[in-house]
Amino acid sequence: MLFSLLYRRGAGIVVGATTATAALGVTTISSWCSKEEEKLRKISSSLELIAARAIADGVLEKGREVGLLPLAVVVLDAGGKDVVVLREDNCGNMRCEIARGKANAALAMGMSSRQIRDRLKDRPFFIGALSDVSQGRFVPVPGGVLILDHNGTAIGAVGVSGDTSDKDEMCAIHAINAIHGLSADPLFPSHNWLSSSLGGH
């Protein structure tokens, strides 16, 4: 008859078993636990680095093509973690934080930061509350765009800052839509993005 008795003593585990246990080659609990602890599990990435880098590069390339001010771009995965962060030379030193806040806002609400602005423009107290609970990482102005896979599921977001919000958003949308199998939400930029201006720029 084979049996074992398991009980806890302090922080350790004590195993009592018949001598038949060793003879039968049964793995002890302690060795089984140690083997389990040695395993490192692969963590699935919602957004692969190669795609995120291509999007970030596409944002900056589009900005140069149309003559925008220096840009910062932050690409987040679905969990809101940085995948790629790029800031052009001569770009303001808070632009990365603003871009991240735009992307975070899109992921937090499941819609673009432009849509958040439009929906919440008459609810300033709610916007203030969202800013508080996010510890300031919620920027509800255009420039935060969701990245959708072929099923329409959001797998990340892009935030861009540096020029007008509409121009920032245009670059993000263009860069996402240029990647095979991905699409941007919103799919198209604001119709008047080109006429938006920061002062005399």
Side-chain angles (χ1 to χ4, degrees), residues 95-118:
R95 290 297 184 177
C96 287
E97 287 75 11
I98 297 170
R100 185 177 290 107
K102 292 181 181 184
N104 266 322
L107 287 170
M109 302 298 288
M111 64 182 74
S112 72
S113 56
R114 185 214 311 175
Q115 190 174 358
I116 295 171
R117 178 203 63 185
D118 294 344

Side-chain angles (χ1 to χ4, degrees), residues 1 8 64 68 73 108:
M1 180 177 180
R8 183 176 299 275
R64 300 290 62 75
L68 302 190
V73 53

Side-chain angles (χ1 to χ4, degrees), residues 95 97-106 111-121 127 137-145 158-170 172 186:
R95 290 297 184 177
E97 287 75 11
I98 297 170
R100 185 177 290 107
K102 292 181 181 184
N104 266 322
M111 64 182 74
S112 72
S113 56
R114 185 214 311 175
Q115 190 174 358
I116 295 171
R117 178 203 63 185
D118 294 344
R119 286 195 175 191
L120 301 183
K121 60 184 179 182
I127 291 178
R137 297 190 300 270
F138 188 92
V139 181
V141 296
V145 179
V158 180
V160 182
S161 180
D163 208 292
T164 69
S165 294
D166 287 339
K167 289 177 179 176
D168 294 340
E169 180 193 62
M170 179 278 298

Side-chain angles (χ1 to χ4, degrees), residues 28-200:
T28 64
I29 292 178
S30 60
S31 64
W32 176 80
C33 288
S34 63
K35 288 180 180 178
E36 284 298 304
E37 290 169 357
E38 289 174 0
K39 291 183 179 179
L40 294 178
R41 306 292 184 179
K42 290 184 178 179
I43 308 300
S44 177
S45 298
S46 66
L47 180 63
E48 294 184 351
L49 176 60
I50 189 171
R53 183 57 195 252
I55 291 170
D57 287 341
V59 167
L60 301 187
E61 289 170 6
K62 189 63 177 178
R64 300 290 62 75
E65 177 187 325
V66 298
L68 302 190
L69 292 169
L71 300 176
V73 53
V74 176
V75 184
L76 305 181
D77 63 16
K81 298 301 182 181
D82 294 355
V83 183
V84 174
V85 179
L86 295 178
R87 182 171 68 94
E88 290 188 302
D89 296 343
N90 305 313
C91 185
N93 64 359
M94 287 190 65
R95 290 297 184 177
C96 287
E97 287 75 11
I98 297 170
R100 185 177 290 107
K102 292 181 181 184
N104 266 322
L107 287 170
M109 302 298 288
M111 64 182 74
S112 72
S113 56
R114 185 214 311 175
Q115 190 174 358
I116 295 171
R117 178 203 63 185
D118 294 344
R119 286 195 175 191
L120 301 183
K121 60 184 179 182
D122 297 323
R123 302 174 66 185
F125 293 111
F126 185 53
I127 291 178
L130 290 172
S131 180
D132 288 342
V133 299
S134 67
Q135 298 180 328
R137 297 190 300 270
F138 188 92
V139 181
V141 296
V145 179
L146 292 172
I147 305 169
L148 308 182
D149 66 11
H150 64 282
N151 292 317
T153 300
I155 59 173
V158 180
V160 182
S161 180
D163 208 292
T164 69
S165 294
D166 287 339
K167 289 177 179 176
D168 294 340
E169 180 193 62
M170 179 278 298
C171 291
I173 292 172
H174 172 85
I176 296 169
N177 288 335
I179 305 300
H180 177 72
L182 301 181
S183 60
D185 181 9
L187 189 59
F188 303 106
S190 172
H191 67 279
N192 62 348
W193 71 265
L194 187 58
S195 62
S196 62
S197 174
L198 287 175

